[in-house]
């Protein structure tokens, strides 16, 4: 089937359907699947079912890596919890974090330190800190907000991360700055990644009450203060209740050593799946030697981990299928083409930030949007006399916003899985808070645009 370069304004329909359906039904996965069906109808008409089936099967095959990654992380989370390792780490963390604010500040600092990869960041921090923050009656929704605020935002601010390496390669390929490598061009653009800076630095303002909670997050924190850290509709299953009642804490080293193995192997190999598999092996060997886990229990935890991550896996796969449909509908080129004729040098940064942010949020494809945007935005910036480093920083910051805000994106999905809530809980509570750094980012790019024009 030949796919047109862009379907014009019609390409906006599937994304609009997803957002409206999610707001109405409060269900992310189902809304994404509905959006993929709408996109298939637009692309193939009466043959939509075969088209949808082909796209879905292809994406499942292409995403085997993610299926294994989520399943193995689910297994690791189970092993750390069921063996009592997480409880042991909680005792150590409680000695350092002796108050609510200290526990949240420790969470924030932990997120800053793990800058290599946003998945690694969210999963490590979320799993490590939830028991500690639970003791101080912090809502899981606010924990998710803090964890995801130091996800992609930190990864783009530190030039030795998966995000930075990918973006530097794309900048190198576009070749916008003569005599400067893609890596150095990226480094030079870091000061202009305003949204990422603001998103990270604003967290302590919420922690210490300098910016008060508002909206659903205020209600979530009031609920947590009354003793319920999880959302009202959350109900632990019988299996989880039984585990919680029978688990005895073990040494904190049973938590710390596998986590260090995960981080170290991931940094060394640049492969987070290998990192988590090695971490599981390390955890099992330590627990087996201490007679805290058998081979049978290891197998049960691995199977249970894949079961725990089934919702996460389905949501991410649905998002990937929608991304593929959006690509073939020409969504991103259409939006950029509509906006570029009205740009001026002074307004270029703020308009670019808003448009790329909306695209990243709507598509859930942050790296994909960047890959499409850099070759279009950077040459336009040069032609208009806009500082290329400002243009690079603006695009990178906008994709970080998408990762921070898109409630059906992989970053939010991983964060929610790590802290034990659903994506819609994150959307309901965090999106209003994220508006604060977003508006500040808009203001910052507006000022920079006029100063540097």
């Amino acid at each position: 089937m030949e796919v047109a370069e862009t379907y014009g304004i019609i390409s906006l329909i599937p994304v609009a359907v997803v957002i409206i359906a999610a707001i109405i039904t409060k269900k992310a996965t189902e809304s994404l699947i509905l959006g993929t069906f709408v996109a298939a109808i637009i692309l193939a008409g009466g043959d939509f079912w075969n088209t949808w089936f082909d796209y879905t099967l292809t994406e499942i095959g292409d995403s085997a890596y993610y299926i294994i990654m989520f399943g193995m992380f689910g297994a690791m989370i189970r092993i750390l919890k069921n063996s009592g390792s997480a409880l042991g780490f909680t005792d150590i963390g409680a000695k350092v974090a002796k108050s609510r604010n200290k526990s949240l500040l420790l969470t924030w600092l932990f997120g800053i330190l793990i800058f290599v990869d946003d998945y690694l960041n969210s999963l490590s921090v979320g799993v490590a800190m939830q028991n500690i923050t639970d003791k101080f009656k912090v809502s899981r929704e606010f924990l998710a907000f803090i964890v995801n605020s130091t996800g992609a935002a930190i990864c783009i601010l530190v030039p030795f991360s998966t995000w930075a390496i990918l973006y530097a390669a794309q900048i190198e390929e576009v070749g916008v700055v003569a005599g400067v490598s893609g890596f150095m061009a990226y480094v030079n653009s870091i000061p202009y990644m305003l949204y990422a800076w603001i998103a990270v630095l604003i967290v302590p303002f919420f922690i210490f009450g300098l910016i008060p909670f508002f909206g659903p997050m205020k209600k979530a924190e009031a609920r947590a203060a009354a003793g319920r850290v999880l959302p009202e509709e959350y109900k632990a299953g019988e299996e989880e209740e039984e585990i919680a009642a029978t688990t005895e804490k073990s040494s904190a080293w049973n938590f710390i050593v596998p986590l260090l193995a995960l981080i170290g192997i991931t940094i060394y190999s640049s492969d987070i799946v290998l990192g988590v598999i090695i971490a599981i092996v390390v955890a099992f060997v330590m627990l087996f030697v201490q007679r805290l886990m058998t081979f049978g229990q290891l197998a049960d935890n691995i199977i249970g981990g894949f079961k725990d991550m089934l919702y996460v896996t389905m949501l991410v796969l649905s998002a990937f299928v929608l991304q593929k449909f959006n690509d073939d509908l020409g969504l991103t080129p259409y939006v950029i083409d509509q906006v570029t004729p009205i740009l001026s040098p002074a307004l270029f940064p703020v308009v670019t930030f808003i448009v790329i942010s909306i695209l990243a949020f709507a598509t859930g494809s942050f790296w994909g949007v960047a890959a499409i945007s850099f070759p279009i935005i950077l040459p336009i910036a040069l032609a208009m006399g806009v500082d290329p480093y400002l243009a690079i920083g603006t695009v990178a910051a906008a994709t970080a916003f998408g990762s921070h805000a898109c409630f059906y994106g992989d970053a939010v999905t991983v964060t929610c899985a790590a802290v034990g809530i659903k994506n819609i809980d994150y959307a309901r509570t965090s999106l209003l808070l994220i508006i604060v750094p977003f508006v500040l980012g808009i203001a910052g790019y507006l000022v920079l645009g006029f100063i540097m024009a």
Side-chain angles (χ1 to χ4, degrees), residues 132-453:
I132 296 173
T133 56
D134 282 356
K135 292 184 70 172
F136 295 104
K137 298 181 179 180
V138 175
S139 70
R140 291 288 183 87
E141 294 96 324
F142 187 47
L143 176 60
F145 170 78
I146 295 175
V147 169
N148 203 37
S149 293
T150 55
I154 283 295
C155 287
I156 70 164
L157 292 176
V158 179
F160 306 103
S161 68
T162 51
W163 283 62
I165 292 169
L166 176 71
Y167 284 10
Q170 293 172 354
I171 295 164
E172 179 92 34
E173 187 174 344
V174 176
V176 293
V177 187
V180 179
S181 67
F183 177 78
M184 285 311 302
Y186 184 88
V187 170
N188 292 337
S189 72
I190 290 175
Y192 301 112
M193 298 177 186
L194 297 187
Y195 177 81
W197 286 108
I198 297 169
V200 173
L201 296 176
I202 206 169
V203 171
F205 286 81
F206 284 111
I207 290 174
F208 292 107
L210 299 174
I211 300 177
F213 293 117
F214 53 90
M217 186 65 82
K218 183 177 181 179
K219 295 179 180 178
E221 281 296 284
R223 183 202 68 229
R228 186 177 181 85
V229 298
L230 287 161
E232 293 289 351
E233 64 275 10
Y234 178 89
K235 293 182 179 179
E238 292 181 4
E239 179 186 6
E240 185 173 341
E241 290 177 345
E242 182 180 345
I243 290 170
T246 58
T247 298
E248 297 181 6
K249 70 183 174 189
S250 63
S251 170
W253 290 110
N254 294 334
F255 185 98
I256 295 170
V257 173
L259 196 62
L260 290 175
L262 168 64
I263 296 170
I265 296 297
T266 301
I267 293 173
Y268 178 77
S269 66
S270 299
D271 187 346
I272 195 170
V273 170
L274 178 61
V276 72
I277 291 174
I278 296 297
I280 288 174
V281 172
V282 170
F284 173 69
V285 170
M286 293 180 69
L287 294 168
F288 182 78
V289 169
Q290 298 170 64
R291 298 184 179 181
L292 295 175
M293 184 170 289
T294 65
F295 282 103
Q297 289 171 328
L298 172 66
D300 290 341
N301 280 314
I302 291 175
I303 294 170
F306 273 84
K307 285 170 56 180
D308 293 343
M309 288 293 184
L310 181 60
Y311 171 82
V312 173
T313 305
M314 288 182 62
L315 190 145
V316 171
L317 289 177
S318 300
F320 286 169
V321 174
L322 182 64
Q323 290 171 21
K324 175 60 178 172
F325 275 117
N326 285 335
D327 290 343
D328 288 350
L329 289 170
L331 172 63
T332 300
Y334 167 73
V335 174
I336 292 176
D337 287 345
Q338 298 307 302
V339 173
T340 49
I342 63 173
L343 289 176
S344 68
L347 293 176
F348 181 90
V350 68
V351 173
T352 298
F353 175 67
I354 293 172
V355 171
I356 303 301
S357 293
I358 292 172
L359 283 171
F361 176 84
T363 63
S365 177
F366 321 120
W367 288 3
V369 167
I372 294 171
S373 300
F374 277 129
I376 298 172
I377 295 297
L378 299 188
I380 294 173
L382 285 180
M384 298 177 67
V386 176
D387 187 303
Y389 302 130
L390 174 59
I392 293 168
T394 303
V395 173
T399 58
F401 164 79
S403 179
H404 196 188
C406 182
F407 59 90
Y408 51 84
D410 51 359
V412 171
T413 302
V414 171
T415 299
C416 290
V419 304
I421 63 172
K422 293 183 178 179
N423 296 55
I424 203 67
D425 299 317
Y426 179 92
R428 183 171 45 82
T429 53
S430 293
L431 286 183
L432 285 178
L433 270 59
I434 292 171
I435 288 175
V436 177
F438 183 64
V439 170
L440 291 174
I442 290 174
Y445 282 118
L446 189 61
V447 171
L448 274 180
F450 280 96
I451 291 175
M452 300 179 67

